């Protein structure tokens, strides 16, 4: 059929629609509905495009609840298609400190997916709903209209909408104000989800560029994090929960907290600081864990000081003897407390599979005190030692604090760092001359040399004192033996 024939057919259909609108009020409604249905089917047959409407609010009784797909589409259009629009609008979300710029009402933009062209249109219509007006404070019903050729119906419904939802969520996660959570004592829980965790904005400035450690070691950590973040399908393939465990250990002041902040900023994750002493039992621990979200870091700092979960497990015989001495009521209370097995199940048991893309981090100052079952590979997948300041770590600090990468005093500092154990925190403090207005880097480096030399002398005095104490103790042990030999003689 030629173009003239198609044009004539379209003109005929339009004429029929015009005549129907004139006579529809003068014929019975049964006939009117039937004719309308027939006309709709005929028009749909010749119309090659399909529309999908995505409402901002769904459900007549839930107008106050925004539709997640609408929010995701808004974020997706902001990041992908807004550059092709001539009319834009900016909005600031509740959990974001960055404005969201997206297409304005009555604006349309094209998009493509796997070679298929689609069109997005932003629309706003008046609404007579009193509920809608009450919650929205404006009598406008907003929605997106997605148009595409009908031969691509299955692709758009099946894969494209899922793609929009996933990409939109990722955009919202990157834009959101990340938060630092802490668990509330169970006595404060009131039955609502918000009572389990309280939070503040997470604004720690630490990054991997500012963390003082060996660059090679730092690169290994970054590579491991990237592999984890991109490993969703791999974890599913091997049948493991999508999580990763890191154990940070080393003396106080070696940067364990800064490393956690750097990981959170690099991964763009929320941080849940879990205080085990506020958890009564395993049941509460499970409830707390369920209330965490994906793309988050769960931190237990100083795990060696958290309850009685460290060291070697008690022998069964000794444990049974102690239980026999306790009254029945006390024994029941004891069995309800948080246990090592409960914590292990939290890390890699069945409950660890609730949600995905989580990182669990333990920190300790005393690695030797931890139960081997707690830190074995598979639970704490990567052990990261944060030790005393090395010369490589010092160079990172010098660059961050002073903006210098080379100086004649570096050689002296390198020699001193090989002779004494000093933490990165102490080195950083030595590079900060609060009362000095001299901006010369040499002044700060000379002050650091004095700090390291003082630490070296203090270490010598401490070692000398410990040696004297040990000699005195050894001598006191030998004296009774000499007296016994004299008596025997």
């Amino acid at each position: 059929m030629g173009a003239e024939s198609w044009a004539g057919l379209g003109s005929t259909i339009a004429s029929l629609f015009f005549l129907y609108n004139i006579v529809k009020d003068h014929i019975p409604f049964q006939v009117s509905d039937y004719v309308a249905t027939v006309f709709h089917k005929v028009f749909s047959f010749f119309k090659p495009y399909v529309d999908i409407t995505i409402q901002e609010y769904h459900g007549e009784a839930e107008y106050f609840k925004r539709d997640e797909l609408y929010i995701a589409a808004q974020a997706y259009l902001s990041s992908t298609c807004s550059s092709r629009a001539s009319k834009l609008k900016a909005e600031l979300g509740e959990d974001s400190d960055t404005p969201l710029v997206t297409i304005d009402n009555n604006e349309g933009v094209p998009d493509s997916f796997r070679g298929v062209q689609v069109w997005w249109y932003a629309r706003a219509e008046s609404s007579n709903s009193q509920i809608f007006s009450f919650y929205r404070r404006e009598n406008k019903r907003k929605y997106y209209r997605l148009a595409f050729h009908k031969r691509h119906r299955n692709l758009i419904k099946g894969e494209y909408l899922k793609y929009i939802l996933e990409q939109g969520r990722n955009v919202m996660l990157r834009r959101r104000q990340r938060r630092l959570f802490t668990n509330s004592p169970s006595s404060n829980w009131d039955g609502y989800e918000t009572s389990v965790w309280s939070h503040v904005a997470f604004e720690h400035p630490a990054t991997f560029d500012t963390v003082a450690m060996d660059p090679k070691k730092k690169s290994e950590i970054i590579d491991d994090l990237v592999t984890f973040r991109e490993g969703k399908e791999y974890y599913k393939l091997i049948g493991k929960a999508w999580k990763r465990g890191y154990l940070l250990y080393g003396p106080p002041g070696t940067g364990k907290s800064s490393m956690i902040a750097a990981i959170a900023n690099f991964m763009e994750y929320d941080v849940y600081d879990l205080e085990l002493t506020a958890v009564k039992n395993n049941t509460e621990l499970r409830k707390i864990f369920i209330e965490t979200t994906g793309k988050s870091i769960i931190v237990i700092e100083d795990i060696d000081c958290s309850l009685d979960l460290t060291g070697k497990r008690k022998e069964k015989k000794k444990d049974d003897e102690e239980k026999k001495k306790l009254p029945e009521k006390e024994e029941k209370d004891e069995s309800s407390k948080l246990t090592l097995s409960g914590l292990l199940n939290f890390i890699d048991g069945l409950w660890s599979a609730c949600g995905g893309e989580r990182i669990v981090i333990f920190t300790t100052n005393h690695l030797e005190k931890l139960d081997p079952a707690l830190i074995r590979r598979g639970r704490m997948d990567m052990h990261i030692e944060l030790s005393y300041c090395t010369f490589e770590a010092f160079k990172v600090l010098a660059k961050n604090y002073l903006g210098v990468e080379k100086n004649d005093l570096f050689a002296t500092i390198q020699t001193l760092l090989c002779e004494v154990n000093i933490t990165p925190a102490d080195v950083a403090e030595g590079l900060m001359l609060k009362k000095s207005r001299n901006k010369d880097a040499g002044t700060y480096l000379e002050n650091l040399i004095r700090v390291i030399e003082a630490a070296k002398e203090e270490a010598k005095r401490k070692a000398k004192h410990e040696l004297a104490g040990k000699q005195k103790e050894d001598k006191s042990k030998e004296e009774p033996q000499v007296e016994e030999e004299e008596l025997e003689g």
Side-chain angles (χ1 to χ4, degrees):
M1 186 178 292
E4 294 181 358
S5 300
W6 281 110
L9 181 59
S11 178
T12 302
I13 294 175
S15 300
L16 290 175
F17 268 113
F18 176 74
L19 293 173
Y20 170 72
N21 288 327
I22 294 176
V23 302
K24 68 177 182 178
D25 295 331
H26 305 283
I27 59 178
F29 71 90
Q30 296 91 341
V31 177
S32 176
D33 289 346
Y34 176 75
V35 173
T37 302
V38 171
F39 270 122
H40 177 73
K41 289 183 178 180
V42 172
F43 185 74
S44 299
F45 178 78
F46 290 102
K47 179 186 176 184
Y49 293 97
V50 178
D51 294 340
I52 293 179
T53 300
I54 304 174
Q55 299 282 355
E56 182 181 14
Y57 292 86
H58 63 272
E60 186 67 26
E62 294 182 341
Y63 277 124
F64 56 91
K65 184 176 181 181
R66 299 185 76 197
D67 185 82
E68 186 178 0
L69 182 57
Y70 179 92
I71 298 173
Q74 186 181 47
Y76 172 79
L77 293 173
S78 171
S79 65
T80 308
C81 305
S82 60
S83 60
R84 297 190 288 272
S86 57
K87 292 176 60 180
L88 299 169
K89 63 179 179 181
E91 297 179 355
L92 187 62
E94 295 181 0
D95 298 328
S96 175
D97 55 0
T98 305
L100 178 71
V101 180
T102 188
I103 62 174
D104 199 1
N105 297 331
N106 302 317
E107 177 70 358
V109 290
D111 191 25
S112 61
F113 179 72
R114 295 189 179 180
V116 175
Q117 190 79 10
V118 300
W119 292 265
W120 286 92
Y121 301 94
R123 295 287 184 261
E125 296 179 352
S126 298
S127 174
N128 297 323
S129 171
Q130 294 181 354
I131 299 177
F132 185 85
S133 301
F134 175 78
Y135 284 107
R136 289 286 297 150
R137 297 183 181 179
E138 58 177 333
N139 201 21
K140 289 288 186 180
R141 188 194 302 268
K142 298 179 182 178
Y143 63 92
Y144 287 114
R145 183 165 65 86
L146 173 62
F148 53 91
H149 199 283
K150 60 184 180 182
R151 64 171 173 264
H152 304 303
R153 181 192 298 264
N154 293 334
L155 176 67
I156 302 302
K157 288 172 56 180
E159 297 184 38
Y160 183 62
L161 289 180
K162 290 181 180 179
Y163 173 78
I164 294 297
L165 186 60
E166 180 181 357
Q167 294 300 313
R169 284 172 174 171
N170 290 336
V171 172
M172 290 186 290
L173 284 170
R174 291 194 297 268
R175 288 184 59 257
R176 79 191 190 286
Q177 172 65 63
R178 289 184 295 113
R179 295 170 290 182
L180 172 62
F181 293 84
T182 184
N183 55 302
S184 306
S186 57
S187 57
N188 296 338
W189 295 1
D190 56 11
Y192 296 96
E193 293 183 1
T194 53
S195 64
V196 178
W197 294 97
S198 57
H199 65 83
V200 296
F202 181 77
E203 298 175 339
H204 199 293
T207 65
F208 278 109
D209 291 333
T210 62
V211 170
M213 67 183 306
D214 183 84
K216 183 178 179 181
K217 196 173 183 179
K218 190 185 301 185
S219 179
E220 291 175 357
I221 297 171
I222 293 174
D223 291 343
D224 191 79
L225 289 169
V226 172
T227 302
F228 168 76
R229 183 170 55 191
E230 298 174 353
K232 180 179 181 179
E233 295 302 323
Y234 174 74
Y235 277 86
K236 184 178 179 180
L237 179 66
I238 63 176
K240 291 185 64 177
W242 191 14
K243 67 173 187 61
R244 191 76 172 159
Y246 294 93
L247 174 68
L248 309 183
Y249 66 96
T254 53
K256 293 184 283 295
S257 296
S258 296
M259 174 59 72
I260 294 172
I263 292 174
N265 287 327
F266 179 77
M267 300 293 283
E268 298 182 329
Y269 285 2
D270 290 328
V271 178
Y272 289 85
D273 185 12
L274 178 56
E275 179 55 59
L276 288 181
T277 56
V279 182
K280 283 186 177 180
N281 51 46
N282 298 336
T283 302
E284 284 189 5
L285 182 64
R286 287 194 293 268
K287 182 174 182 179
I288 288 172
F289 182 69
I290 289 173
E291 299 302 333
T292 62
T293 61
K295 293 184 181 295
S296 62
I297 299 174
I298 301 171
V299 179
I300 303 179
E301 293 194 275
D302 298 322
I303 185 67
D304 52 295
C305 301
S306 298
L307 305 181
D308 189 18
L309 298 172
T310 59
K312 296 182 179 179
R313 280 172 268 188
K314 298 177 181 179
E315 297 180 1
K316 189 176 184 304
K317 182 178 179 181
K318 183 178 180 181
D319 190 41
D320 291 340
E321 290 176 355
E322 291 181 355
K323 286 184 177 180
K324 289 179 181 179
K325 298 177 182 178
L326 295 175
E328 183 178 351
K329 184 177 180 180
E330 293 183 5
E331 183 176 347
K332 183 178 180 180
D333 292 340
E334 181 70 22
S335 64
S336 67
K337 290 183 178 179
L338 182 62
T339 63
L340 177 61
S341 61
L343 184 61
L344 297 182
N345 191 46
F346 158 79
I347 299 170
D348 65 352
L350 292 175
W351 287 97
S352 68
C354 298
E357 200 169 356
R358 286 187 176 93
I359 291 175
V360 180
I361 297 180
F362 289 168
T363 72
T364 180
N365 297 332
H366 306 284
L367 180 63
E368 69 281 357
K369 292 184 179 181
L370 298 183
D371 191 307
L374 190 64
I375 59 174
R376 68 165 175 79
R377 304 290 177 175
R379 288 187 176 129
M380 293 294 103
D381 304 284
M382 191 173 189
H383 294 189
I384 303 172
E385 182 181 9
L386 298 171
S387 189
Y388 295 105
C389 190
T390 63
F391 181 63
E392 293 297 327
F394 156 74
K395 289 195 293 184
V396 174
L397 292 172
K399 183 178 179 181
N400 293 338
Y401 283 76
L402 307 178
V404 297
E405 298 183 14
K406 292 181 180 180
N407 191 282
D408 294 340
L409 297 175
F410 274 24
T412 303
I413 293 173
Q414 182 177 14
T415 301
L416 287 171
L417 289 176
C418 293
E419 297 174 350
V420 64
N421 290 332
I422 184 171
T423 66
D426 291 332
V427 172
E429 188 66 22
L431 293 173
M432 297 173 65
L433 281 175
K434 299 179 179 62
K435 296 182 180 180
S436 175
R437 296 183 180 180
N438 190 341
K439 300 299 181 181
D440 179 57
T443 303
Y444 296 90
L445 294 174
E446 288 172 357
N447 182 69
L448 175 60
I449 290 173
R450 290 192 292 269
V451 169
I452 300 176
E453 288 177 340
K456 181 179 178 181
E457 293 301 319
E458 179 63 25
K460 287 182 179 179
R461 286 194 297 269
K462 186 177 179 180
K464 185 177 180 180
H465 179 74
E466 290 178 353
L467 179 61
K470 185 178 180 181
Q471 290 175 345
K472 185 176 179 180
E473 183 181 352
D474 293 341
K475 186 177 180 181
S476 63
K477 290 181 180 179
E478 293 175 357
E479 286 178 354
Q481 184 177 357
V482 174
E483 291 178 358
E484 288 178 5
E485 291 177 353
E486 290 177 353
L487 290 172
E488 289 177 0

